[in-house]
């Protein structure tokens, strides 16, 4: 079993309106010391796979097909092997 | 300067419709080996603070007041000290 921690963010060239809204709100709250804000999505998938290579290929495909809009977003992920969850 | 990596998730007791939608879509794509899906938000803030304790207190307050709905969501964050970004 593998746990995939997946981060999906807008590409740097794409303006992120949510991050801009957070920046504006922080200014209004007098947090002038915040230099930059990045806003993204975070997924954790637990999946069964025979080895890390197979898990990596599957997570890559799931990200491309479902979790990220590859036109505007980039993703990265980390895989951790975990022991079987007891039923 | 500190970089805060912030994770905001629904509390386990709250049904997450987006995570459910992803599970359904994965089944439709024949990914029957995916056991669980967690969907959350990820933020990266870069902020100036005199020490880690001050940064931690500020990030805590920003999460409570702005980034997380504490009725339904939980958050956790990690702080990393980074060198000044050259202008």
């Amino acid at each position: 079993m593998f746990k995939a921690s997946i981060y999906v963010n807008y590409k740097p060239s794409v303006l992120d309106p949510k991050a801009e809204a957070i920046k504006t709100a922080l200014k209004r709250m007098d947090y002038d010391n915040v230099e930059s804000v990045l806003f993204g999505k975070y997924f954790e998938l637990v999946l069964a796979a025979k080895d890390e290579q197979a898990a990596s290929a599957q997570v890559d495909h799931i990200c491309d097909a479902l979790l990220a809009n590859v036109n505007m977003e980039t993703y990265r992920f980390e895989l951790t092997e975990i022991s079987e969850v007891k039923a």
Side-chain angles (χ1 to χ4, degrees), chain A:
Chain A
M1 300 280 279
F2 291 88
K3 190 180 85 172
S5 302
I6 306 167
Y7 303 82
V8 178
N9 296 123
Y10 278 111
K11 289 180 184 174
S13 57
V14 178
L15 182 76
D16 181 354
K18 286 188 190 170
E20 294 303 314
I22 292 167
K23 272 184 218 165
T24 311
L26 287 171
K27 286 239 163 61
R28 216 181 305 123
M29 292 161 70
D30 291 328
Y31 279 114
D32 294 320
N33 59 328
V34 178
E35 304 274 321
S36 77
V37 175
L38 181 146
F39 178 68
K41 289 177 278 185
Y42 174 71
F43 302 90
E44 248 177 48
L45 299 186
V46 173
L47 73 164
K50 65 179 198 316
D51 56 27
E52 193 165 332
Q53 213 181 344
S56 176
Q58 289 208 333
V59 173
D60 241 338
H61 182 246
I62 290 171
C63 288
D64 276 333
L66 185 68
L67 302 182
N69 170 353
V70 289
N71 294 312
M72 294 170 68
E73 295 170 328
T74 54
Y75 63 85
R76 65 189 166 87
F77 61 87
E78 293 144 22
L79 284 174
T80 330
E81 191 155 10
I82 55 175
S83 45
E84 295 288 325
V85 180
K86 294 261 164 33

